[in-house]
PDB file of all heavy atoms in Angstrom:
ATOM      1  N   ALA A 558      78.982  71.143 -10.256  1.00 75.00           N
ATOM      2  CA  ALA A 558      79.566  70.954 -11.595  1.00 75.00           C
ATOM      3  C   ALA A 558      78.578  71.199 -12.765  1.00 75.00           C
ATOM      4  O   ALA A 558      78.869  71.744 -13.762  1.00 75.00           O
ATOM      5  CB  ALA A 558      80.155  69.588 -11.632  1.00 75.00           C
ATOM      6  N   TYR A 559      77.327  70.701 -12.526  1.00 74.00           N
ATOM      7  CA  TYR A 559      76.359  70.822 -13.568  1.00 74.00           C
ATOM      8  C   TYR A 559      75.955  72.320 -13.805  1.00 74.00           C
ATOM      9  O   TYR A 559      75.768  72.795 -14.883  1.00 74.00           O
ATOM     10  CB  TYR A 559      75.060  70.000 -13.226  1.00 74.00           C
ATOM     11  CG  TYR A 559      74.132  69.857 -14.362  1.00 74.00           C
ATOM     12  CD1 TYR A 559      74.336  68.986 -15.382  1.00 74.00           C
ATOM     13  CD2 TYR A 559      72.986  70.687 -14.449  1.00 74.00           C
ATOM     14  CE1 TYR A 559      73.405  68.894 -16.479  1.00 74.00           C
ATOM     15  CE2 TYR A 559      72.103  70.570 -15.499  1.00 74.00           C
ATOM     16  CZ  TYR A 559      72.344  69.620 -16.511  1.00 74.00           C
ATOM     17  OH  TYR A 559      71.425  69.527 -17.561  1.00 74.00           O
ATOM     18  N   GLU A 560      75.844  73.099 -12.750  1.00 74.00           N
ATOM     19  CA  GLU A 560      75.471  74.443 -12.858  1.00 74.00           C
ATOM     20  C   GLU A 560      76.554  75.240 -13.649  1.00 74.00           C
ATOM     21  O   GLU A 560      76.211  76.106 -14.439  1.00 74.00           O
ATOM     22  CB  GLU A 560      75.283  75.066 -11.456  1.00 74.00           C
ATOM     23  CG  GLU A 560      73.990  74.599 -10.808  1.00 74.00           C
ATOM     24  CD  GLU A 560      73.969  74.720  -9.243  1.00 74.00           C
ATOM     25  OE1 GLU A 560      74.926  75.325  -8.802  1.00 74.00           O
ATOM     26  OE2 GLU A 560      73.033  74.285  -8.663  1.00 74.00           O
ATOM     27  N   LEU A 561      77.854  74.913 -13.325  1.00 76.00           N
ATOM     28  CA  LEU A 561      78.850  75.606 -14.103  1.00 76.00           C
ATOM     29  C   LEU A 561      78.871  75.111 -15.567  1.00 76.00           C
ATOM     30  O   LEU A 561      79.125  76.005 -16.454  1.00 76.00           O
ATOM     31  CB  LEU A 561      80.223  75.275 -13.470  1.00 76.00           C
ATOM     32  CG  LEU A 561      80.516  75.780 -12.059  1.00 76.00           C
ATOM     33  CD1 LEU A 561      81.800  75.289 -11.489  1.00 76.00           C
ATOM     34  CD2 LEU A 561      80.491  77.299 -12.021  1.00 76.00           C
ATOM     35  N   LEU A 562      78.528  73.860 -15.811  1.00 75.00           N
ATOM     36  CA  LEU A 562      78.527  73.349 -17.139  1.00 75.00           C
ATOM     37  C   LEU A 562      77.524  74.032 -18.018  1.00 75.00           C
ATOM     38  O   LEU A 562      77.802  74.579 -19.091  1.00 75.00           O
ATOM     39  CB  LEU A 562      78.344  71.873 -17.111  1.00 75.00           C
ATOM     40  CG  LEU A 562      78.106  71.206 -18.473  1.00 75.00           C
ATOM     41  CD1 LEU A 562      79.416  71.265 -19.310  1.00 75.00           C
ATOM     42  CD2 LEU A 562      77.644  69.699 -18.291  1.00 75.00           C
ATOM     43  N   VAL A 563      76.248  74.054 -17.571  1.00 69.00           N
ATOM     44  CA  VAL A 563      75.143  74.535 -18.457  1.00 69.00           C
ATOM     45  C   VAL A 563      75.205  76.097 -18.466  1.00 69.00           C
ATOM     46  O   VAL A 563      74.756  76.629 -19.437  1.00 69.00           O
ATOM     47  CB  VAL A 563      73.743  74.116 -17.838  1.00 69.00           C
ATOM     48  CG1 VAL A 563      73.638  72.610 -17.892  1.00 69.00           C
ATOM     49  CG2 VAL A 563      73.508  74.672 -16.407  1.00 69.00           C
ATOM     50  N   ALA A 564      75.817  76.716 -17.543  1.00 69.00           N
ATOM     51  CA  ALA A 564      76.000  78.183 -17.612  1.00 69.00           C
ATOM     52  C   ALA A 564      77.191  78.587 -18.417  1.00 69.00           C
ATOM     53  O   ALA A 564      77.457  79.785 -18.621  1.00 69.00           O
ATOM     54  CB  ALA A 564      76.106  78.815 -16.169  1.00 69.00           C
ATOM     55  N   ARG A 565      77.983  77.609 -18.940  1.00 70.00           N
ATOM     56  CA  ARG A 565      79.149  77.820 -19.684  1.00 70.00           C
ATOM     57  C   ARG A 565      80.138  78.723 -18.953  1.00 70.00           C
ATOM     58  O   ARG A 565      80.782  79.615 -19.400  1.00 70.00           O
ATOM     59  CB  ARG A 565      78.861  78.530 -21.068  1.00 70.00           C
ATOM     60  CG  ARG A 565      77.881  77.682 -21.943  1.00 70.00           C
ATOM     61  CD  ARG A 565      78.575  76.438 -22.360  1.00 70.00           C
ATOM     62  NE  ARG A 565      77.627  75.587 -23.186  1.00 70.00           N
ATOM     63  CZ  ARG A 565      77.624  75.545 -24.499  1.00 70.00           C
ATOM     64  NH1 ARG A 565      78.501  76.324 -25.182  1.00 70.00           N
ATOM     65  NH2 ARG A 565      76.813  74.797 -25.154  1.00 70.00           N
ATOM     66  N   GLU A 566      80.271  78.409 -17.640  1.00 73.00           N
ATOM     67  CA  GLU A 566      81.175  79.158 -16.729  1.00 73.00           C
ATOM     68  C   GLU A 566      82.354  78.324 -16.191  1.00 73.00           C
ATOM     69  O   GLU A 566      82.999  78.700 -15.209  1.00 73.00           O
ATOM     70  CB  GLU A 566      80.363  79.740 -15.577  1.00 73.00           C
ATOM     71  CG  GLU A 566      79.290  80.735 -16.009  1.00 73.00           C
ATOM     72  CD  GLU A 566      78.487  81.236 -14.831  1.00 73.00           C
ATOM     73  OE1 GLU A 566      78.611  80.610 -13.771  1.00 73.00           O
ATOM     74  OE2 GLU A 566      77.739  82.260 -15.034  1.00 73.00           O
ATOM     75  N   LEU A 567      82.661  77.245 -16.839  1.00 73.00           N
ATOM     76  CA  LEU A 567      83.779  76.418 -16.433  1.00 73.00           C
ATOM     77  C   LEU A 567      85.124  77.222 -16.672  1.00 73.00           C
ATOM     78  O   LEU A 567      86.138  77.009 -15.943  1.00 73.00           O
ATOM     79  CB  LEU A 567      83.888  75.098 -17.217  1.00 73.00           C
ATOM     80  CG  LEU A 567      82.783  74.099 -16.806  1.00 73.00           C
ATOM     81  CD1 LEU A 567      82.901  72.885 -17.749  1.00 73.00           C
ATOM     82  CD2 LEU A 567      82.837  73.657 -15.378  1.00 73.00           C
TER      83      LEU A 567
END
Side-chain angles (χ1 to χ4, degrees):
Y559 191 79
E560 289 159 5
L561 294 175
L562 171 67
V563 297
R565 300 297 178 95
E566 293 178 349
L567 291 175

